[in-house]
């Protein structure tokens, strides 16, 4: 009997061990499954984040490229304009000498104009000022001073409000005529100019009809084929202006240089002596536009 009990005890023990070890295994695999879940979750999380990061990166790159393209288009437009103007000048057969026309838009201003005039005087050169009627009203004495100093004065309209002036041919010319009457009221009825510079330049299909009308009304529409880039960004550095001037006037015989006469354009005044000296050294004759 004792033996039988021992045998039963051993069998029960073996059975218990088998049962128990099975449970342990079960628990182990459950724990493993759980750990896999956590791992999968974590890796999914990181993977999702990685994908999001990649998407965001790509989005940024795309946005950057679009911005860069826009910048390029703006710059390319300038170059196209320059080429077009050079072609025109070639066709007009303007003398074989090198001529440079300094032009200043958007004045007269109460501070910059005087400084520009002093520099021009120092080098004994004359320039063309495309003035705004609204600015002439504010600074009539400065306008008189430009005129009396022998510089040329052109019409740049009254308001410089693109939205208004380019919304219709009649609106454009009423703005131009308003400027004309302001100029006459300050400089006298004898004052006369047919020099006209469209705000923002005259190129583009949108302005073609107005441009043709201007030509048929006897205006001399003047754009530019070189510039110092002072309107391309706010507060441009002296280095930037010099760089743009060098780039845009290179290898051209006749150049019309666009610059701006506003109090905000301090560096324009600062680099003007350099521009004049460079042009003189390169053999250009500096002229005013109505000498054509
Ligand atoms: Zn302007």
């Amino acid at each position: 009997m004792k033996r039988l009990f021992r045998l039963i005890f051993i069998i029960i023990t073996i059975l218990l061990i088998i049962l128990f070890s099975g449970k342990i295994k079960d628990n182990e695999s459950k724990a493993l499954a759980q750990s896999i879940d956590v791992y999968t979750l974590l890796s999914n999380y990181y993977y999702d984040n990685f994908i999001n990061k990649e998407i965001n990166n790509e989005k940024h790159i795309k946005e950057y490229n679009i911005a860069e393209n826009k910048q390029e288009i703006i710059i390319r437009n300038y170059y196209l304009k320059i080429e077009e103007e050079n072609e025109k000048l070639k066709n007009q057969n303007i003398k074989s000498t090198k001529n440079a026309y300094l032009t200043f838009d958007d004045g007269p201003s109460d501070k910059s104009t005087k400084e520009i005039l002093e520099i021009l005087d120092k080098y004994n050169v004359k320039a063309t000022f495309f003035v705004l009627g609204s600015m002439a009203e504010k600074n009539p004495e400065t306008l008189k001073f430009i005129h009396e100093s022998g510089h040329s004065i052109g019409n740049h309209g009254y308001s410089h409000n693109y939205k208004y002036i380019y919304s219709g041919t009649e609106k454009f010319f009423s703005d131009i005529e308003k400027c004309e009457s302001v100029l006459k009221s300050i400089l006298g009825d004898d004052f006369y100019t047919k020099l006209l510079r469209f705000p923002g330049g005259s190129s583009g299909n949108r302005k073609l009809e107005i441009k043709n009308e201007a030509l048929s009304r006897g205006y001399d529409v003047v754009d530019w084929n070189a510039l110092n880039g002072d309107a391309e960004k706010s507060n441009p550095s002296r280095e930037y202006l010099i760089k743009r001037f060098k780039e845009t006037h290179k290898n051209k015989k006749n150049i019309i240089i666009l610059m701006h006469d506003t109090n905000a354009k301090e560096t324009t005044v600062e680099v003007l002596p350099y521009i004049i000296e460079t042009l003189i050294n390169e053999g250009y004759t500096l002229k005013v536009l109505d000498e054509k």
Side-chain angles (χ1 to χ4, degrees):
M1 270 309 263
K2 224 179 179 182
R3 256 186 163 181
L4 187 68
F5 272 124
R6 199 179 286 164
L7 195 68
I8 289 168
F9 178 76
I10 289 168
I11 289 167
I12 287 170
T13 313
I14 289 168
L15 280 172
L16 276 174
I17 288 170
I18 290 167
L19 203 76
F20 201 66
S21 71
K23 268 204 171 168
I24 288 174
K25 259 194 183 168
D26 257 15
N27 284 343
E28 263 180 1
S29 59
K30 262 187 196 165
L32 192 69
Q34 262 175 5
S35 75
I36 285 170
D37 271 344
V38 171
Y39 175 76
T40 315
L41 278 176
L42 275 177
S43 63
N44 279 349
Y45 172 75
Y46 284 119
Y47 182 70
D48 284 351
N49 261 5
F50 174 74
I51 294 280
N52 280 341
K53 235 183 180 177
E54 283 296 293
I55 290 170
N56 276 340
N57 272 350
E58 230 165 78
K59 235 166 81 183
H60 281 144
I61 290 168
K62 258 189 202 160
E63 278 167 7
Y64 179 79
N65 281 343
I66 289 168
E68 208 176 39
N69 280 344
K70 267 189 195 162
Q71 189 67 22
E72 247 177 44
I73 288 166
I74 292 166
I75 291 170
R76 212 173 37 233
N77 275 346
Y78 273 120
Y79 279 111
L80 286 177
K81 209 179 278 180
I82 286 155
E83 288 315 312
E84 200 182 291
E85 284 296 330
N86 244 10
E87 219 30 57
K88 256 190 241 165
L89 288 170
K90 252 190 240 162
N91 295 339
Q92 282 170 8
N93 255 339
I94 298 174
K95 296 169 198 168
S96 58
T97 50
K98 288 162 86 176
N99 297 312
Y101 303 85
L102 303 174
T103 69
F104 297 93
D105 287 12
D106 300 354
S109 60
D110 54 0
K111 185 170 153 276
S112 280
T113 312
K114 282 169 198 149
E115 293 172 351
I116 291 168
L117 291 176
E118 271 171 31
I119 295 166
L120 295 174
D121 217 34
K122 190 182 152 204
Y123 290 96
N124 196 25
V125 294
K126 303 292 181 207
T128 306
F129 291 80
F130 285 98
V131 297
L132 290 172
S134 54
M135 290 306 292
E137 274 178 348
K138 281 183 193 157
N139 304 301
E141 291 308 313
T142 314
L143 181 76
K144 273 188 202 165
F145 194 46
I146 296 172
H147 189 50
E148 283 158 11
S149 307
H151 301 284
S152 186
I153 290 172
N155 191 330
H156 196 38
Y158 182 86
S159 66
H160 212 273
N161 182 341
Y162 287 20
K163 215 176 159 190
Y164 172 74
I165 59 175
Y166 293 124
S167 63
T169 308
E170 281 318 308
K171 279 177 184 148
F172 179 85
F173 286 103
S174 79
D175 196 73
I176 295 302
E177 280 158 15
K178 195 172 173 187
C179 177
E180 260 166 20
S181 66
V182 170
L183 299 185
K184 276 182 189 290
S185 74
I186 298 166
L187 301 173
D189 278 340
D190 292 347
F191 177 78
Y192 174 87
T193 182
K194 278 291 174 190
L195 285 175
L196 175 61
R197 174 164 285 165
F198 281 40
S202 73
S203 61
N205 286 339
R206 211 161 58 95
K207 298 176 188 171
L208 198 64
E209 196 188 311
I210 300 174
K211 191 177 176 176
N212 286 337
E213 179 60 26
L215 295 173
S216 73
R217 290 189 189 200
Y219 286 103
D220 191 356
V221 177
V222 187
D223 283 338
W224 57 88
N225 63 352
L227 44 82
N228 66 357
D230 62 358
E232 290 173 357
K233 47 163 107 176
S234 55
N235 303 321
S237 66
R238 289 192 292 269
E239 292 72 24
Y240 182 79
L241 299 186
I242 287 171
K243 182 178 145 266
R244 295 294 289 135
F245 164 67
K246 281 183 176 171
E247 283 169 357
T248 57
H249 92 284
K250 215 162 93 184
N251 302 325
K252 286 171 190 162
K253 264 191 161 184
N254 295 291
I255 47 173
I256 299 171
I257 308 160
L258 170 71
M259 292 172 279
H260 290 85
D261 169 17
T262 68
N263 287 348
K265 307 288 177 196
E266 283 175 15
T267 45
T268 298
V269 177
E270 286 166 15
V271 300
L272 184 57
Y274 171 86
I275 290 179
I276 294 172
E277 280 173 33
T278 305
L279 291 170
I280 292 170
N281 289 338
E282 289 177 357
Y284 286 94
T285 304
L286 280 89
K287 291 180 170 181
V288 295
L289 275 166
D290 55 4
E291 272 182 26
K292 267 202 285 183

